[in-house]
Amino acid sequence: MSEFPVLNIALIGHGFIGAVHSNAMHQVGRFFSSHFQLRPKVVCGRDHSTLQSFAARWGWQETSSDWHAIIDRQDIQAVDIAVPNHLHAPIAIAAAQAGKIVWCEKPLATTVTEAVQMADAARSVPNLVWFNYRRIPAVVLARQMIDEGRLGEIFHYRALYLNQSGIDPAKTSTWRYRRSEAGSGASGDLLSHSLEMALYLNGDIAEVCALNKTFVPNREVDDAVMLMARFTNGSVGTFEATRFGVGYRNTLSFQIHGSKGMLHFDLDEMNKLEFYDASEAPHLQGKKQIVVPGPDHPYAKNFWKPGHAIGFEHTFIATLGDFLLSLQGNTAFRPNFDDGLKVQKLLNAISRSSEKRAWESLS
Amino acid sequence: MSEFPVLNIALIGHGFIGAVHSNAMHQVGRFFSSHFQLRPKVVCGRDHSTLQSFAARWGWQETSSDWHAIIDRQDIQAVDIAVPNHLHAPIAIAAAQAGKIVWCEKPLATTVTEAVQMADAARSVPNLVWFNYRRIPAVVLARQMIDEGRLGEIFHYRALYLNQSGIDPAKTSTWRYRRSEAGSGASGDLLSHSLEMALYLNGDIAEVCALNKTFVPNREVDDAVMLMARFTNGSVGTFEATRFGVGYRNTLSFQIHGSKGMLHFDLDEMNKLEFYDASEAPHLQGKKQIVVPGPDHPYAKNFWKPGHAIGFEHTFIATLGDFLLSLQGNTAFRPNFDDGLKVQKLLNAISRSSEKRAWESLS
Amino acid sequence: MSEFPVLNIALIGHGFIGAVHSNAMHQVGRFFSSHFQLRPKVVCGRDHSTLQSFAARWGWQETSSDWHAIIDRQDIQAVDIAVPNHLHAPIAIAAAQAGKIVWCEKPLATTVTEAVQMADAARSVPNLVWFNYRRIPAVVLARQMIDEGRLGEIFHYRALYLNQSGIDPAKTSTWRYRRSEAGSGASGDLLSHSLEMALYLNGDIAEVCALNKTFVPNREVDDAVMLMARFTNGSVGTFEATRFGVGYRNTLSFQIHGSKGMLHFDLDEMNKLEFYDASEAPHLQGKKQIVVPGPDHPYAKNFWKPGHAIGFEHTFIATLGDFLLSLQGNTAFRPNFDDGLKVQKLLNAISRSSEKRAWESLS
Amino acid sequence: MSEFPVLNIALIGHGFIGAVHSNAMHQVGRFFSSHFQLRPKVVCGRDHSTLQSFAARWGWQETSSDWHAIIDRQDIQAVDIAVPNHLHAPIAIAAAQAGKIVWCEKPLATTVTEAVQMADAARSVPNLVWFNYRRIPAVVLARQMIDEGRLGEIFHYRALYLNQSGIDPAKTSTWRYRRSEAGSGASGDLLSHSLEMALYLNGDIAEVCALNKTFVPNREVDDAVMLMARFTNGSVGTFEATRFGVGYRNTLSFQIHGSKGMLHFDLDEMNKLEFYDASEAPHLQGKKQIVVPGPDHPYAKNFWKPGHAIGFEHTFIATLGDFLLSLQGNTAFRPNFDDGLKVQKLLNAISRSSEKRAWESLS
């Protein structure tokens, strides 16, 4: 099997998301036919005992407690970053400067300054940001339908991201609730997904007006963020992301109204896409639930048969699969660090807008 | 206003369904433009005090405790029967023989013998059976779409009628749970609606195989009924009606699968019809919820604007409205006593099938 | 029947909404037991022929083309205003000054100035604004559940009002799209309902930041409006109302997240209320669809039986029914002109906020 | 890694379902902590070229075209059967007699005779039938809730299995439509899943009355099957399985009504379970959608976090995971060949009932 190029991978971080990445590395070869062989070589972390069991469970050959040393290794071709946000920049920059392929969890950074440096450093190496939800088959189908003109001129974009972690003490004690490590709260954690998806589906945002809200006194980060946006295509949008969306564990949704139709997606039913075709005869118009993946749908050939549900982990597998195919074909992969930087600039404008209680331009 | 023919009406019965009929008589003229003037003249019942308050609330000019006397009155043109099932036959036959227009609650009768006599008697007068659900706009739209060939060849018909009255002591002490008055339980009360709707939508039934079930010892009537059916058009069907459908207060649904599409209706969302168009491009196929009434839908001009919900009572108004238009135009109205008789024969075959544990033919 | 006080009513306007009001006047006595007798006396309008047919269909004894003359009549006790928005103020003020009971369509006025004058004038007479959606049984149940503390501390309020009239030439040629007559577009027409409902359910709004959007060049009024809000109870909200919500004919929804639970309502399923109870055992938590009206629900005794759907028109009947009971009991009726004024002030702040691109305080 | 017992596996068959099994073998160790090491050793098939690519994609070390030879190998501990139904019996019996662990696709066999022989042969070895849907977390939760008494006395069980393969020429040309290879059509293919799940959730079936239907002339197997059933617990049930369920690609559902509540599951939303709790206060009762896996739910610790969807493949991983834990703990695994035999007897009774047009007892 040595006929195919081997990619030895180092994973920095061994939490929940590190496990999800690891799973994708093992699975990608079964669902995507690139000529690369991924080899989970070394996983890096500080807690020796959980690191050992993580490595055993997720098939990592070695463990390490020193990410600097790992980046110096010549036998590592790709570095995957799955640590708290404030560590993304130093690791990613070092890895890129060492010529490694770099994969980084979202949000790319904690500040625009960091993100600019990261994007600059990564320009010379293949890179990826794990905005996995962009690769839900139903979301890719939405993009395809927009490209085909099925919505016509876009009027409205509406995005929600709801979870209820803000009232769960087990979650509010983690690094995600500390400004120095997370950079922000609901904004970076949740809204960043919705923003990236909006850029993917509806193009650039020209200006925003936002409101950050922290419900719990002395909490360092935003519990919720709401905003209005003007897109450069003339449409208007609203976004809301909150850790106080009681009733939902992890729900991202978007809805788009155009002159010819409407699209609606909800992560709670990730194998469905809702479409309203306003060009049908009026008495036959209605919201239609397309089960995705169906025949000829995105990734229909990669995973199981039409009508057989895929889940959360497959969005990571598809991200990695497309990355490897891009690498093989020497084509551009998206979302990359430049895309991550764009989201960071939006997050920054949103934060500024909330502070200044004013509209902020992105230009 | 005397330019239009007046119909003086006598209502026999003053319970819940009598109120619903009364409401329809008051409302029909606002939504349907026949040239008839309906005048609620006299309501007949045995309990003096509730009869008085009923008459006052529902606008009846007179009250009476003697239905025979009412039928003898020359100033009464129409008799509406809203009493327990075992009284349908004597009243309807007398009224028809007296030349009155006759409207009768469903099920038409408690036996086929009664129903035959009723249908014979009523052949000379305009008549109606209150199978109101056939006139839900979404159901009429379903029929229209079937007629247009949108389902192609029909394979499956599936009907459910669920309520939970069987575990509600307030309901199990009424006449509906006594064989002598009701004739049957879930069969006559609930299944009759599903059967009538199936005949309307999918045509005649050739044979049935059924199972009646009574969960409560010593209860006189069936609590639930299930059956398989062969339709004369080659399709097969299942029906289930139960008063032990815990979770539902009053839900009737049907689903039809054909070679070109699927239709699904649920009374819980009576302003919607679900349609799957199997002739669309495979990647765009999906279940579509058509909001009814929408533009050009049945009754869209009669009631409010597209997108404005109608409710339970409007099915009775539409029944009466169509009856009056038929009367005016001298065309056949359906469902009439002959349709009621057909349902009665089905109920009888179902009951026999359950007793004999064998298929029963309808021919 | 002369033992009960008669209210002779004059209706100004004979369009769609005038018909809905007329229907409520005829029906209210059957579902609400006040001691008043409503008598639809005279309907006023300019187009003689449509006025005649309206009067005949909706049971008005007389017609008139002069609303001033009507208000001078001593035999009229109540004036119902169902004309374009710019006519609300002159008619309502005249009627109130003549001592009539005044019922006025929403939005109350086209400007705050008008609304202040109207509220002042109406302070001495019983008055009502037809914000009918507040009286959907499921909405009243929501209020009841909030009052019972079932949501705990409120975090988020989210409201949508979507229709697609903006792309329908038949609709964009009406007075609703002319500033001089309508005052505003989606704001007054749609958003006013959402605002009134928010005040009812979640209390006062302290400040707003809004964006009006007109998609069609040269259109005089706003096609869509979006806003962020801070409520005085500490919660934050988003509102969106649009005539470019392709996919929806008339859909109003709200969602409220609190520390103990979530409530969600959608006019597309007006007989349901969605509730998430976060105080249940975690493994049993889920969104629950309560069918309304059910037992012990608001208006459960007024209309039909639990499980039997009501529709659009019943919200007007309930509004009028509650008004008459308030009048009889000499208690305060809401929403009255002061409530209408409050909404008008919000609409004004929203418009100003959009123009100035800044937050506006309501104090 | 040799400290843990290795299971070398032979897979017979390399179609779609063989891929799903292979995936489960690779993944099970990441989600279930048994002490076994699964090693996909050899895959057996007839078409050399597709077999090679299958082996490469799914990580099989060797290929073979002779299943007899494989069963003779001493280095193989487990044989997995993923070939057309008529080959289950010879392979399973040979493998069991050779002392191998045996895993067999459903339905177990094509006849009761075969199934009896298989169950007899397998009694001395660990065995499993791939009725994977029993291990959907929501289905296991349903079973748990029934065991906790949350439904009370069971009245009704209702099962549907719908796909539309019968109108798809690409599917009707496969072995699944040939009697000699499949044994039956919709019955063995689809209904067997529903039956097994019913036995799991609601216990034994005492008698059935069924109707098989073949819509296409000269087709050898049943396109659809419908039946009524009496369970030994006193409840009654209906089942329907069809390849002519136009509108659905692969939908299995069940609904159970009991004296205290209702449960409903639909494979189209496999991460949800619907529950109606009839013991709540009447005005708060409603259908509740529990998102599964949630906290403390079945398999919540095995896969991803609450609120993160799993898919089709995870039901196979869970089946295999539970099997390995049973093997390790020396406890009984279900569903085993005896369970498969029970389903086969039901299928046989159903077929007989349809032929004889009569009820068939299972005793």
Side-chain angles (χ1 to χ4, degrees), chain C residues 215-233:
Chain C
F215 292 103
V216 179
N218 301 320
R219 187 165 283 178
E220 299 174 356
V221 294
D222 54 300
D223 285 327
V225 54
M226 305 142 69
L227 67 115
M228 306 183 293
R230 289 183 183 274
F231 287 82
T232 57
N233 67 1

Side-chain angles (χ1 to χ4, degrees), chain A residues 23 27 30 57 313-314, chain D residues 23 27 30 57 313-314:
Chain A
N23 182 69
Q27 290 291 82
R30 319 221 184 277
R57 178 173 178 189
E313 71 190 66
H314 298 84
Chain D
N23 182 69
Q27 290 291 80
R30 317 220 185 278
R57 177 173 179 190
E313 70 190 67
H314 298 85

Side-chain angles (χ1 to χ4, degrees), chain A residues 157-188:
Chain A
Y157 191 93
R158 192 176 302 121
L160 278 182
Y161 202 132
L162 309 173
N163 77 26
Q164 54 190 9
S165 65
I167 57 168
D168 179 348
K171 294 190 174 162
T172 57
S173 60
T174 68
W175 65 268
R176 291 187 183 279
Y177 284 77
R178 291 191 289 274
R179 175 166 294 280
S180 60
E181 293 172 64
S184 67
S187 301

Side-chain angles (χ1 to χ4, degrees), chain D residues 234-256:
Chain D
S235 63
V236 288
T238 56
F239 292 76
E240 198 172 344
T242 179
R243 288 165 167 173
F244 281 71
V246 173
Y248 297 87
R249 298 202 184 280
N250 185 43
T251 295
L252 161 159
S253 70
F254 66 79
Q255 186 164 29
I256 314 176

Side-chain angles (χ1 to χ4, degrees), chain A residues 22-99:
Chain A
S22 303
N23 182 69
M25 295 172 202
H26 287 294
Q27 290 291 82
V28 66
R30 319 221 184 277
F31 298 111
F32 288 79
S33 312
S34 82
H35 61 208
F36 293 102
Q37 296 268 338
L38 266 56
R39 211 162 279 169
K41 195 78 181 175
V42 54
V43 58
C44 179
R46 290 190 192 149
D47 183 297
H48 183 71
S49 107
T50 58
L51 183 62
Q52 293 309 313
S53 67
F54 181 96
R57 178 173 178 189
W58 292 107
W60 291 90
Q61 297 175 15
E62 308 168 28
T63 62
S64 162
S65 62
D66 179 359
W67 65 261
H68 296 278
I70 285 174
I71 284 173
D72 288 340
R73 283 171 59 162
Q74 294 307 310
D75 64 337
I76 297 294
Q77 282 81 42
V79 173
D80 184 29
I81 303 170
V83 287
N85 303 343
H86 69 305
L87 297 173
H88 290 186
I91 301 174
I93 292 167
Q97 287 172 347

